[in-house]
Amino acid sequence: MASVGFFGRLGNLWRGFVSLWISDVEKKHPEIAYENAINSMIEKYSQLKHATAAIIRRREDIDARLKTKSAELAQIDADLQTAVDSNQQDLGLVLIQKQKALQDEVNTLKTDLATAVQDADSAKASLVQVQGEIKSLKAEKDTMLAKMASAEARMRVQQQ
């Protein structure tokens, strides 16, 4: 049991040294830190883009199913009207049951579609936000690196 604690502590010590070394490298080369942050945001954007595509596909699928069921409902309504006009009570009862089931399904699909539309809009807004953050981070990188280069140039001029 003591060996696990020893090796765990040794691993923590090693990670600490590596973390300090990386911090020193990033201090000397801040563009590395910016690039890592930008790459991380690009990865997040890519994952979000795939998730957004899946949400949009779901919305389109629900919309297509709603259109199909609405068309079926319209056909049932027409068939029911024909059955009423021709006094076919047995057919009318079957069509009324079918109409009720389709109406329930259409109402459920409308609710699902409204939710899917909100989800898709939210996902698109998140994509735009992350894209803006990436552009902002790139601009900040350029600005800060330019300021650092300018400060280094001033220091060299002052030293001469």
Side-chain angles (χ1 to χ4, degrees):
M1 191 71 157
S3 64
V4 173
F6 171 75
F7 288 115
R9 291 175 60 198
L10 191 59
N12 287 338
L13 183 64
W14 177 252
R15 281 191 292 277
F17 282 132
V18 170
S19 178
L20 287 173
W21 177 72
I22 290 173
S23 294
D24 286 342
V25 170
E26 287 178 340
K27 284 177 188 173
K28 293 176 185 169
H29 303 282
E31 64 272 8
I32 294 172
Y34 276 109
E35 278 303 312
N36 288 337
I38 290 168
N39 290 337
S40 173
M41 292 295 290
I42 289 172
E43 178 67 26
K44 178 181 175 184
Y45 179 79
S46 177
Q47 292 171 350
L48 189 57
K49 196 161 84 170
H50 289 300
T52 301
I55 290 169
I56 290 171
R57 278 192 304 273
R58 179 178 173 269
R59 181 196 65 194
E60 290 171 351
D61 178 53
I62 292 171
D63 187 45
R65 288 181 17 223
L66 177 60
K67 287 177 182 175
T68 301
K69 294 299 178 181
S70 294
E72 286 179 33
L73 183 59
Q75 183 61 47
I76 293 292
D77 289 342
D79 292 347
L80 181 58
Q81 187 59 44
T82 303
V84 168
D85 290 345
S86 62
N87 201 20
Q88 298 176 353
Q89 293 178 353
D90 292 340
L91 180 59
L93 288 175
V94 170
L95 290 174
I96 287 173
Q97 289 174 348
K98 221 173 178 186
Q99 180 188 37
K100 171 129 178 58
L102 276 173
Q103 187 61 52
D104 290 344
E105 197 170 347
V106 165
N107 289 340
T108 300
L109 286 171
K110 284 181 181 178
T111 303
D112 290 349
L113 182 61
T115 302
V117 166
Q118 288 176 343
D119 291 346
D121 290 344
S122 175
K124 285 189 236 177
S126 294
L127 268 178
V128 170
Q129 179 184 1
V130 171
Q131 197 174 35
E133 289 175 9
I134 291 170
K135 287 180 183 176
S136 174
L137 197 54
K138 286 179 179 180
E140 179 183 334
K141 171 190 163 192
D142 293 341
T143 302
M144 289 303 180
L145 291 177
K147 285 181 180 180
M148 189 175 96
S150 175
E152 288 173 352
R154 276 190 301 240
M155 287 175 49
R156 274 185 260 137
V157 167
Q158 288 175 353
Q159 288 176 354
Q160 292 177 356

